[in-house]
Amino acid sequence: MNQRTDFFLRLGAAFLITILVAPLVACLFPGTQVHRVLTRTGQGALVLLLLFRAGDPRTWRRRAMGVGMRGPHRCLRQLAGALPAIAVFSLIIYGSYLLGGRELLLHGSRLTLAERALRAVTAAIGVAYFEELIVRGYMKDVLGNLLSAFLFAIIHNFKPIAGSAPVDGSYDPLLVLRNFDVITEAWSDPYLAIPGTIGLMIFAFILNDMRDRSGTLHWGMGFHAGLVLCLAMYRQWLSGAASGARWLYGGSRLYDGALGIGALLACWAAVRFAPRPNWLKHKGADKRQ
């Protein structure tokens, strides 16, 4: 069995496990939004299935390091990814506000600034490390550049537009099936699904190139974390729903509008063509491109 077939079989098995296990997980975490229960259960199932037959657990750390966690200048490379992402998307957010595309939250957020910042930083680091290790560290090698980027975009669009209802802690064996329309909500509106998929694929291509051109995952981890941080923080002051043209400003995710997609295209061009310092290069990568 080739690696691609093996991966898709495990992905399908993770979906079936989610259907069976998510109702039990929901009983343990009452009050958690249902889509978070479903996605976290699915992620956990996929990771366990990828680790199945992965050899001695004592070798897992070494193998994880081998798919891109090693390499020099780790912190510097992460900063080289995070700072441009924060700068570019902060400009997009502020520009959207100045142009009337985002409204100021007159009553502020229910969270204090410290609470929002702590949650944002935790989410940024956790999401960046987890997804880069799984997608760029494993899936990219197994599926290739285009297919891994497409799957990355497809999976991220299985998410409700404005959150979901909390689970009540009772056992519902049909939890996944009853809420399937919730997690596929973004696909119900082509106006959201198409630009969202395009933006996410460009984002994935950026991260793929960052790994290829630096030889490690750290540059992409920084860029990924910077984007997640901006998405998590701006709703402390501005509305997540665009008050202007949605095709231009996008939704709460920013990258599903023309401004966000344009910013990602500019970042992709910079990654591919802008000169880089030696500490950000992977020996031989530019010759292979």
Side-chain angles (χ1 to χ4, degrees):
M1 182 186 302
N2 63 47
Q3 285 187 306
R4 285 192 179 186
T5 302
D6 178 72
F7 172 77
F8 282 113
L9 286 174
R10 295 185 193 220
L11 186 63
F15 178 70
L16 294 177
I17 291 172
T18 301
I19 292 176
L20 297 174
V21 176
L24 297 173
V25 176
C27 295
L28 300 175
F29 298 97
T32 304
Q33 289 185 315
V34 66
H35 78 276
R36 295 189 183 278
V37 172
L38 303 186
T39 55
R40 299 299 184 266
T41 304
Q43 289 170 349
L46 181 59
V47 169
L48 290 176
L49 288 168
L50 292 177
L51 291 174
F52 179 66
R53 293 188 303 177
D56 189 337
R58 290 174 294 183
T59 68
W60 290 353
R61 183 180 181 277
R62 175 177 55 81
R63 295 173 70 175
M65 296 291 286
V67 298
M69 294 296 287
R70 291 195 185 98
H73 312 294
R74 299 177 192 177
C75 292
L76 196 56
R77 288 180 172 189
Q78 289 175 14
L79 284 174
L83 295 180
I86 292 171
V88 168
F89 277 86
S90 293
L91 286 174
I92 292 295
I93 293 164
Y94 188 56
S96 297
Y97 167 66
L98 292 179
L99 293 171
R102 303 276 167 187
E103 291 185 351
L104 195 65
L105 292 177
L106 298 179
H107 302 291
S109 170
R110 291 178 296 174
L111 299 175
T112 67
L113 180 59
E115 288 173 327
R116 173 75 74 177
L118 180 60
R119 292 189 183 191
V121 170
T122 302
I125 295 173
V127 168
Y129 271 72
F130 175 79
E131 292 189 0
E132 291 311 299
L133 189 58
I134 296 295
V135 182
R136 253 60 59 180
Y138 173 76
M139 282 173 49
K140 180 179 177 296
D141 290 341
V142 172
L143 304 179
N145 185 37
L146 179 60
L147 186 54
S148 67
F150 181 67
L151 190 59
F152 177 80
I154 292 295
I155 290 174
H156 274 74
N157 258 350
F158 282 97
K159 184 178 181 179
I161 298 167
S164 58
V167 295
D168 59 11
S170 62
Y171 178 71
D172 179 5
L174 299 178
L175 180 70
V176 177
L177 300 180
R178 291 187 201 280
N179 290 279
F180 195 70
D181 60 331
V182 174
I183 60 174
T184 58
E185 183 182 3
W187 292 105
S188 65
D189 184 354
Y191 199 86
L192 291 172
I194 293 173
T197 302
I198 292 171
L200 282 164
M201 285 194 69
I202 297 170
F203 182 44
F205 289 141
I206 292 171
L207 298 172
N208 286 349
D209 277 359
M210 283 180 161
R211 186 201 168 184
D212 289 341
R213 292 174 176 273
S214 67
T216 72
L217 298 174
H218 297 291
W219 192 16
M221 283 177 173
F223 190 84
H224 199 152
L227 177 58
V228 172
L229 184 67
C230 286
L231 293 180
M233 281 300 297
Y234 86 90
R235 280 169 283 182
Q236 179 74 14
W237 302 283
L238 299 176
S239 170
S243 54
R246 193 167 60 171
W247 68 267
L248 178 61
Y249 301 107
S252 62
R253 300 181 296 178
L254 301 179
Y255 52 72
D256 53 2
L259 282 177
I261 290 173
L264 288 172
L265 283 171
C267 290
W268 192 16
V271 169
R272 292 192 68 87
F273 302 116
R276 286 165 289 129
N278 289 331
W279 52 263
L280 201 53
K281 293 181 180 179
H282 174 41
K283 186 177 180 181
D286 294 313
K287 295 179 180 178
R288 294 197 302 269
Q289 298 292 324

